């Protein structure tokens, strides 16, 4: 079953054309990577899907609903949750408070939240479950500013999961991590996205080939190829445009 479908998406910024008729499908339960050279339009595509931008033309469908041009908060309520290439967390709060805030946003509790949340067993239990799932129980009560960069990346993944999404979208999740941290983080992503649908933008091709069931290659704002990791490896156009002829 197709969960996400992009149909002939064009995007320009004040006359500068960035995307030229992007069409792609993401099947429910798959891990789908979007790759391409810098400036290919990957982040723009992410921002269109999640409502930060509106397409110049074309349509975006999620769970058979046309969500084209919907505002960010409305799209989030459909079950799409994303991370950002630049870490987007509250450094002055503890790790637990960051996760709790994300869950509060999900359940829409907005009033008297300080006293209410401290008594709310369901929110606390769900916060602790997410923290344990992501492997950060040992730093639950630490200020985020004191955490290592790698743990902050894990926290951002936790915040993405806290909304109990149908579709998880990760933008450059391993950016800034060393090789050992990257390997561990890929395994964590695999674990927490099992039986879920994942769309990921990633430059590290070892990560892409290890993580993805299918890969879409974008070049100069157009889809160059879509296929399995083996198909993408062997595609001559992809080798020439992105993989350096390897």
């Amino acid at each position: 079953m197709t969960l996400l479908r992009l149909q002939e998406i064009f995007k320009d910024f004040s006359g500068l054309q960035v995307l030229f008729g992007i069409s792609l499908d993401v099947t429910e339960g798959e891990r789908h990577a979007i790759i391409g050279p810098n400036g290919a339009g990957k982040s723009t595509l992410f921002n269109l899907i999640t409502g930060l931008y509106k397409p110049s033309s074309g349509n975006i469908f999620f769970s058979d609903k046309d969500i084209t041009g919907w505002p960010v908060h409305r799209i989030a309520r459909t079950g799409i949750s994303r991370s950002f290439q630049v870490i987007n967390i509250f450094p002055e709060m503890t790790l637990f408070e960051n996760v709790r805030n994300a869950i509060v946003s999900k359940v829409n509790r907005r009033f008297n939240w300080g006293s209410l949340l401290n008594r709310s067993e369901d929110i606390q239990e769900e916060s602790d479950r997410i923290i344990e799932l992501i492997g950060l129980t040992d730093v639950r009560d630490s200020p985020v500013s004191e955490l290592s960069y790698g743990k902050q990346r894990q926290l951002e993944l936790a915040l993405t999961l806290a909304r109990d999404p149908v579709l998880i979208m990760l933008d450059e999740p391993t950016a800034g991590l060393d090789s050992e941290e990257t390997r561990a983080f890929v395994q964590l992503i695999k674990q927490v996205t099992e039986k879920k649908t994942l769309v990921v933008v990633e430059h590290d091709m070892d990560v892409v080939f290890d993580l993805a069931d299918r890969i879409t290659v974008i070049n100069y704002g157009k889809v160059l190829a879509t296929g399995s990791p083996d198909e993408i490896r062997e595609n001559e156009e992809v080798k020439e445009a992105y993989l350096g002829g390897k």
Side-chain angles (χ1 to χ4, degrees):
M1 172 185 167
T2 298
L3 182 65
L4 176 70
R5 178 159 55 94
L6 277 59
Q7 188 176 71
E8 287 292 307
I9 298 295
F10 287 79
K11 180 62 181 176
D12 73 85
F13 295 95
S14 301
L16 175 63
Q17 197 73 37
V18 177
L19 298 179
F20 301 84
I22 297 282
S23 294
L24 66 86
D25 293 340
V26 176
T27 303
E28 186 174 1
E30 80 169 340
R31 297 180 181 131
H32 196 120
I34 299 173
I35 67 171
N38 288 332
K42 306 180 300 295
S43 293
T44 297
L45 197 62
F46 245 52
N47 290 332
L48 288 167
I49 294 168
T50 55
L52 289 173
Y53 301 154
K54 295 181 180 181
S56 301
S57 64
N59 296 89
I60 301 170
F61 298 91
F62 179 66
S63 294
D64 293 326
K65 294 186 181 107
D66 188 342
I67 64 170
T68 310
W70 285 16
V72 172
H73 69 275
R74 189 178 177 195
I75 289 176
R77 287 173 187 163
T78 68
I80 297 177
S81 185
R82 69 165 293 178
S83 71
F84 291 84
Q85 187 173 351
V86 177
I87 289 178
N88 188 23
I89 53 182
F90 296 101
E92 72 281 2
M93 295 184 178
T94 67
L95 185 143
F96 174 81
E97 288 168 340
N98 268 266
V99 175
R100 185 180 64 182
N101 284 352
I103 292 171
V104 169
S105 175
K106 177 183 71 173
V107 300
N108 245 354
R109 295 190 181 182
R110 300 183 185 274
F111 302 103
N112 293 324
W113 68 276
S115 60
L116 172 63
L117 297 181
N118 287 332
R119 299 196 307 267
S120 181
E121 291 185 7
D122 56 339
I123 290 176
Q124 178 159 324
E125 287 174 2
E126 179 66 4
S127 300
D128 283 329
R129 185 189 72 80
I130 294 292
I131 292 169
E132 182 178 4
L133 177 68
I134 218 73
L136 292 176
T137 303
D138 60 327
V139 290
R140 174 190 187 275
D141 299 314
S142 299
V144 170
S145 60
E146 296 179 4
L147 301 181
S148 68
Y149 180 79
K151 289 188 184 299
Q152 289 183 12
R153 276 288 179 191
Q154 286 178 256
L155 169 58
E156 189 166 45
L157 179 58
L159 299 182
T160 306
L161 295 170
R163 298 187 64 89
D164 193 23
V166 177
L167 172 63
I168 299 167
M169 301 185 64
L170 304 179
D171 191 1
E172 300 283 357
T174 67
L177 301 179
D178 62 31
S179 57
E180 183 176 344
E181 289 172 327
T182 293
R183 286 192 294 271
F185 201 42
V186 169
Q187 292 308 308
L188 178 62
I189 292 170
K190 285 182 176 180
Q191 174 189 329
V192 301
T193 62
E194 188 174 358
K195 298 182 180 179
K196 292 182 178 288
T197 308
L198 172 69
V199 175
V200 58
V201 167
E202 179 58 61
H203 274 103
D204 188 323
M205 295 311 300
D206 289 335
V207 171
V208 169
F209 288 133
D210 186 18
L211 190 59
D213 302 313
R214 271 201 310 152
I215 301 167
T216 293
V217 185
I218 297 176
N219 195 33
Y220 294 113
K222 298 179 180 180
V223 173
L224 181 63
T226 297
S228 69
D230 286 342
E231 289 170 334
I232 295 301
R233 275 195 190 97
E234 299 305 317
N235 186 296
E236 293 300 325
E237 289 184 294
V238 174
K239 288 180 183 179
E240 182 177 348
Y242 188 53
L243 299 182
K246 296 178 181 179

